[in-house]
Amino acid sequence: MKPDQEPLWGLVPPTLAKMAAWSACLIFIGVVANYVFGIVATMRIVALPVAVALLLTALLYPLTRRLRATGLRAIYATWVTMLVAFAVLGGTGWIIGVRANEEFPGLVMQVQQTAKTVEGWLYTGPLHLQPYQLSKWVDDIAVLVTAQQRQITTTVL
């Protein structure tokens, strides 16, 4: 550069230079935040089960402590606590499964009624669809839901 020439950044107004510096900082923060959120998203596969395990441990510890205070050895107190927890969780799951199985036919009827209401709107609404198109779709969905009742109940449970 020649001595009589001014540097290039001297030609940029100070406000524009500050805005460019702040923009560069924000871009850097955004890139770092993206990587951090990516790592957290990857770790959720591990973090969620660990958090659930810690929560269950904290909830079940008072029972184990009381069993140990009664004179039961630590290993037996832990096993009794685990069996009680499995029994409670299993019983709760069984009750929910039975109730869901009892409510399923009513749910299918409600879905069919709602579908018929939507079907009527689609006939008379802005789309003006043909009746045979929609009735076939509704019947297919009802048959599919009824056929998959056991799998749906198992998945929900």
Side-chain angles (χ1 to χ4, degrees), residues 51-99:
V52 169
L54 289 173
L55 178 66
L56 287 175
T57 301
L59 289 173
L60 295 174
Y61 180 72
L63 177 61
T64 305
R65 187 181 64 231
R66 285 188 182 155
L67 289 173
R68 288 179 66 190
T70 62
L72 204 57
R73 288 182 40 196
I75 188 73
Y76 298 134
T78 302
W79 274 103
V80 168
T81 303
M82 286 179 50
L83 291 175
V84 167
F86 285 142
V88 168
L89 289 175
T92 304
W94 180 73
I95 290 170
I96 290 172
V98 168
R99 287 287 296 170

Side-chain angles (χ1 to χ4, degrees), residues 26-37:
L26 288 175
I27 289 172
F28 178 73
I29 290 171
V31 168
V32 169
N34 183 35
Y35 281 115
V36 168
F37 286 133

Side-chain angles (χ1 to χ4, degrees), residues 133-144:
Q133 293 172 322
L134 288 177
S135 61
K136 182 180 182 311
W137 292 345
V138 169
D139 292 340
D140 290 345
I141 290 172
V143 167
L144 178 69

Side-chain angles (χ1 to χ4, degrees), residues 107-121:
L107 177 64
V108 169
M109 288 185 62
Q110 287 178 355
V111 168
Q112 286 176 340
Q113 289 174 353
T114 303
K116 293 292 182 188
T117 304
V118 171
E119 182 180 9
W121 178 81

